[in-house]
Structure formats: C-alpha cells, structure tokens
Amino acid sequence: MSSVEINGGIVVYEVLGEEDGIPVVLTPGGRAPRGFLRSLGGLLAEGGLKVLIWDRPNGGESDIQFGDRWPTESHMHADTLQQLIKHLGWGPTVVVGASAGARVSIITALEYPEITRGLFLWHIAGGIYPTLALGNAYIVENITTARKGGVEAVMELPHWKQRIEQNPRNKERFEALSSEELISVLKLWLSAFIPTPGQVIPGVRDDELATISAPTAIIRSGENDEEHPLLTCYSVHALIKGSKVVEPPWEEDAWEKAFANTLKTGGPNNAFALNDKAAPLILDFARTTGPGAGA
C-alpha cells in the first residue's frame, strides 16, 4: 500500500505487476474500496499489465474530500486520478471502470485525454430511475441527516463511520466542515443526478461525450438490467465515435441475480465477483490499444 497527498487529502493506492507493463487503472462501482478489484488487478498483472488500484476520496482508506471546485463527485475523482497517474510518472494509461467507476473513467478520458490510452467500460448507469436512485443513495440521505443533526450526525451514517474507522484522519476532516458548507457542496453535486435531456451520463453533456477520441470498448449491459440500462450502454456507444460494444463474459442476467441477492440478504454486492471474468477482454483491449499496439 502507498499513499500521496492530492488536493489537500491523502489518497491510498497499490500498483500490481511489472514496471514495464502496459499501464492500466481500475475504478470500481459505488464508493467501493480498491480491494473489490484486487483480484481482477492480479489477473491483469499476471497477463503482463501494470495495474493501479486506488481508493477514491470518500471511499476506502483515502481521506474524505468535499469541495465546490468540482461540479460532481465524479469530476473530483477524475481530477484526483489524473494527478495520481502523473505522480506515478506513467504515460497514457488504459482507464477501466464499472458503474460509478465507468462514470469516473469517462470524465477522465473527456477532461484529461493526455493520460488516457484507452477507455474500457461496463455497467454504465443512466436513465431516469438509475439517476434518481444514485442521487438518493449518494447525496439526499447525507443532506437530510446534516440538516437534522449537523456534521456530527453525518459522521454516524454507516458509510462515513466506516471511513473514520479505517482512516482516523477523517474524523478531523469532517469536524473541520460546517453543516452549511457540507450541505452546499452536496446540493451542487446533487444537481448531476437530476435526469436532464442531452445527458445520457449524469453530470456529462452528450456533446462532451462526443469529443472523446480515445479507443473505447463497452461491455454490453444485460437486457433487463434496471441499474445499468441497455439503452444507456448503446447511447454511450453511439456518442463516442469509433467505440465498440462487446458481449458480456457473464450470464445475461448475472447482475440482476447478484443485486437481488444483495437486497434480500443485506450483504455486500457480490456482483463485484463478476469483474474477474472481464480480465481476458481487458487484456486483449490493452494489448491492441495505444503506442506499440500489436507489436
């Protein structure tokens, strides 16, 4: 495990594989920690890639980070990621992400094309129901809690309580925020999760998506995936010129089964176990993308 200070906060990360491998960064869904992609990262490292897995600010062991300099939390994560890649001294990197990680990866490719060798995505969230659900899950509960009980009450929410347990610095970072400041930032970030015409991806305009020039591959969503609609998948494909859609390496209803089990048991989302099956697709994409591809 390594760490570096970026934008005034500590970011925790690991690098797997050989130094001379093709550089790849993995970003998971939700606010999940880097450990959810360590198994996939190990498979890619065994295949000869150099793999970065990281804890985004507000997830895992990294410091929490709130600020109105970024229009969304995903933009903050993309900014952090590009600085992390430059800190490592890497050149253009294959940027890989699922669900919320796909959103971060898209924004990274959009705003920082100089560090994006290629873009590999799956479980892309979009559409009315998923977008509203994300806004509620990431933002609304925190605003409501802050209004009722201040920052102290927010710190007691399960996600943030775990961030403090894993990283005691986060207690002081929360205590340095006023309720008004936290609510103001959260309201700004909430605006991305209002379904808006011309925004297939929350917080990203379609005309911006159309400017992405990095080679892009998208694993097709399941036909009945309510959280990552098939329409969103193909809309992103249509907007990113030259992108390709590949068939999923898991069963058609794999996400639905995993998510339903999570809702039933209340346990962790075992849909993350699907990620390892994407390893052969990512290896092939990385080897055929960017400088020296096919050499």
Side-chain angles (χ1 to χ4, degrees), residues 152-280:
E152 295 78 8
V154 174
M155 292 164 61
E156 291 299 315
L157 291 172
H159 178 79
W160 302 119
K161 190 172 184 178
Q162 188 177 46
R163 300 289 70 73
I164 292 169
E165 290 171 351
Q166 287 189 298
N167 176 359
R169 285 188 308 272
N170 281 329
K171 183 175 187 294
E172 294 181 3
R173 293 179 69 83
F174 264 119
E175 290 173 343
L177 292 168
S178 68
S179 298
E180 292 76 16
E181 180 183 5
L182 178 60
I183 290 170
S184 176
V185 172
L186 291 174
K187 283 183 175 180
L188 171 65
W189 290 357
L190 179 61
S191 63
F193 296 109
I194 300 171
T196 304
Q199 287 191 12
V200 169
I201 301 299
V204 180
R205 299 195 317 271
D206 290 352
D207 62 325
E208 292 178 310
L209 264 181
T211 68
I212 292 176
S213 59
T216 301
I218 303 165
I219 297 178
R220 178 180 63 77
S221 293
E223 293 181 1
N224 298 309
D225 187 336
E226 292 286 349
E227 281 67 44
H228 319 100
L230 190 60
L231 178 59
T232 300
C233 166
Y234 278 112
S235 295
V236 171
H237 165 54
L239 287 165
I240 300 179
K241 299 177 180 64
S243 64
K244 62 179 181 179
V245 174
V246 298
E247 286 298 294
W250 38 73
E251 295 178 357
E252 185 69 29
D253 59 352
W255 168 267
E256 296 94 301
K257 287 181 177 178
F259 191 63
N261 184 66
T262 298
L263 293 176
K264 181 179 179 179
T265 64
N269 190 340
N270 60 7
F272 286 107
L274 300 174
N275 294 330
D276 287 4
K277 296 184 178 181

Side-chain angles (χ1 to χ4, degrees), residues 99-173:
S99 200
R103 193 160 55 252
V104 172
S105 299
I106 286 169
I107 295 171
T108 301
L110 172 65
E111 298 207 342
Y112 312 104
E114 73 280 2
I115 58 97
T116 307
R117 174 181 176 131
L119 186 60
F120 192 99
L121 312 167
W122 67 97
H123 287 155
I124 306 174
I128 294 175
Y129 164 67
T131 300
L132 289 173
L134 288 172
N136 185 63
Y138 290 133
I139 307 291
V140 173
E141 181 183 25
N142 294 290
I143 292 176
T144 302
T145 302
R147 291 181 64 194
K148 288 180 178 179
V151 173
E152 295 78 8
V154 174
M155 292 164 61
E156 291 299 315
L157 291 172
H159 178 79
W160 302 119
K161 190 172 184 178
Q162 188 177 46
R163 300 289 70 73
I164 292 169
E165 290 171 351
Q166 287 189 298
N167 176 359
R169 285 188 308 272
N170 281 329
K171 183 175 187 294
E172 294 181 3
R173 293 179 69 83

